[in-house]
Amino acid sequence: MAEQTARLLLLTAAVGLAWGSQGDREPVYRDCVLQCEERNCSGDALKHFRSLQPIYMSLAGWTCRDDCKYECMWFTVGLYLQEGHRVPQFHGKWPFSRFLFIQEPASAVASLLNGLASLVMLCRYRASVPASSPMYHTCMAFAWVSLNAWFWSTVFHTRDTDLTEKMDYFCASAVILYSVYLCCVRTVGLQHPSVASAFGVLLLLLLSAHISYLSLVRFDYGYNMMANVAIGLVNLAWWLAWCLRNRRRLPHTRRCVVVVLLLQALSLLELLDFPPLFWVLDAHAIWHISTIPLHILFFRFLEDDSLYLLKESEAKFKLD
């Protein structure tokens, strides 16, 4: 839900074009990269580099040029710190200390833990909620869409490439849109299935058009941000309005309200954009860590709500 919106906001603000940040605009950085490539990334020198490169680095797609950028980044950071200047960003990112082949260790681990939390709650939901519950299949699909998004978030923070960046963006957008669909099914679709089906088709077309534009026309970070923020606000407002309207009749909606409000509050962490502590832990990683328990709360809400709907449908069946 809102965690995907906030993550997209940070990514949109952080990701710049090539040579677009202060650090990678520095002549000393550019010269360092150029000399490193000329020295290490061709002919026998390249063969020597590959012979020394750990197998896990080559399997993860780290190239000689990537290694030059990494080493020159730290060389430039060292010069900045010696002169008493603020740590610069490189290619839209803060400098992170690489662990094995993982580019942003804290964010990658936090994304993985979010995914594991979603997986655990998916298994719990499937074990405790019968498939005959009216919301069962819709909630299960939401769990898989979320799990897929956190998988690509983990991959993106592990290895930032054009493909992993796009998959992270697109899958996060899919979660936001599916959360809107989930809300539509719960608030309208149970009484009017055709309305929910038509709305689902509309959302699918919107997602397809969104991905097609960003993939085939232009990867516009500003447009991507505005589109996802708009849908995210609709999603939050819809869930919150429904929960508050039904809070007395459905006490379990309190969990949903807590999740929505906490996600909004925790998203403020994204504003604390600072160089990584110990070159590992930045505001984005802290925010990812803070969202882990919220998955448990939201899936507990879905579980309680699905069991309530099952009990309600069984009662109506007996009356009929």
Side-chain angles (χ1 to χ4, degrees):
M1 287 169 49
E3 71 268 24
Q4 301 297 337
T5 305
R7 184 157 60 88
L8 282 162
L9 278 169
L10 179 71
L11 286 171
T12 300
V15 177
L17 299 175
W19 309 108
S21 298
Q22 181 180 348
D24 51 69
R25 287 198 303 266
E26 284 290 342
V28 64
Y29 173 80
R30 295 193 184 193
D31 291 342
C32 177
V33 172
L34 182 62
Q35 293 175 18
C36 179
E37 290 179 349
E38 292 176 348
R39 186 172 60 250
N40 300 318
C41 301
S42 62
D44 292 337
L46 179 59
K47 293 180 181 178
H48 180 67
F49 169 81
R50 288 173 176 170
S51 68
L52 296 178
Q53 186 184 38
I55 184 65
Y56 57 80
M57 293 292 287
S58 60
L59 290 175
W62 286 94
T63 65
C64 180
R65 187 167 189 268
D66 293 330
D67 212 56
C68 284
K69 288 182 177 180
Y70 181 76
E71 297 298 333
C72 290
M73 175 185 74
W74 287 115
F75 174 72
T76 306
V77 168
L79 293 178
Y80 264 70
L81 293 178
Q82 285 179 14
E83 297 296 326
H85 298 304
R86 189 171 184 265
V87 176
Q89 291 190 343
F90 295 80
H91 305 287
K93 291 178 176 287
W94 291 112
F96 289 94
S97 182
R98 190 172 61 194
F99 176 72
L100 298 178
F101 57 89
I102 304 175
Q103 195 165 347
E104 299 177 43
S107 290
V109 171
S111 295
L112 178 63
L113 292 176
N114 275 279
L116 288 176
S118 296
L119 179 61
V120 168
M121 295 310 294
L122 182 155
C123 294
R124 174 188 166 119
Y125 181 90
R126 186 166 58 182
S128 60
V129 178
S132 56
S133 175
M135 287 291 292
Y136 177 86
H137 296 291
T138 307
C139 291
M140 286 293 294
F142 173 75
W144 283 111
V145 171
S146 298
L147 193 60
N148 176 67
W150 286 114
F151 168 79
W152 283 109
S153 176
T154 304
V155 172
F156 172 65
H157 289 302
T158 298
R159 185 74 177 92
D160 180 359
T161 67
D162 183 63
L163 174 63
T164 60
E165 179 189 45
K166 284 183 169 60
M167 291 303 297
D168 183 49
Y169 272 85
F170 298 159
C171 293
S173 297
V175 172
I176 299 172
L177 287 170
Y178 198 92
S179 182
V180 175
Y181 174 71
L182 178 70
C183 188
C184 176
V185 173
R186 180 61 183 94
T187 59
V188 179
L190 295 179
Q191 293 77 32
H192 308 282
S194 59
V195 174
S197 298
F199 188 67
V201 171
L202 174 62
L203 292 177
L204 188 59
L205 290 174
L206 287 175
L207 179 62
S208 300
H210 180 70
I211 292 175
S212 297
Y213 173 74
L214 293 176
S215 301
L216 303 176
V217 180
R218 176 169 171 250
F219 201 89
D220 187 331
Y221 293 101
Y223 153 74
N224 185 68
M225 178 186 69
M226 295 304 296
N228 283 286
V229 167
I231 297 297
L233 290 175
V234 171
N235 179 54
L236 292 177
W238 197 342
W239 274 114
L240 192 59
W242 177 79
C243 288
L244 293 177
R245 188 169 60 250
N246 292 277
R247 65 187 183 279
R248 294 181 180 176
R249 186 172 64 90
L250 306 174
H252 57 267
T253 57
R254 294 171 185 170
R255 287 198 179 99
C256 185
V257 172
V258 170
V259 170
V260 168
L261 295 179
L262 280 179
L263 284 173
Q264 284 294 93
L266 291 173
S267 65
L268 296 177
L269 287 171
E270 301 286 30
L271 301 177
L272 305 176
D273 195 20
F274 53 83
L277 301 174
F278 311 108
W279 306 116
V280 173
L281 192 66
D282 68 334
H284 187 60
I286 294 172
W287 180 79
H288 270 334
I289 293 169
S290 70
T291 62
I292 295 171
L294 299 186
H295 292 286
I296 299 173
L297 276 177
F298 189 65
F299 276 96
R300 285 289 304 275
F301 156 71
L302 293 178
E303 177 185 337
D304 291 344
D305 194 54
S306 296
L307 291 174
Y308 165 81
L309 290 171
L310 177 64
K311 183 178 179 180
E312 186 181 54
S313 63
E314 288 176 346
K316 289 182 178 179
F317 178 78
K318 290 179 180 178
L319 289 176
D320 293 340

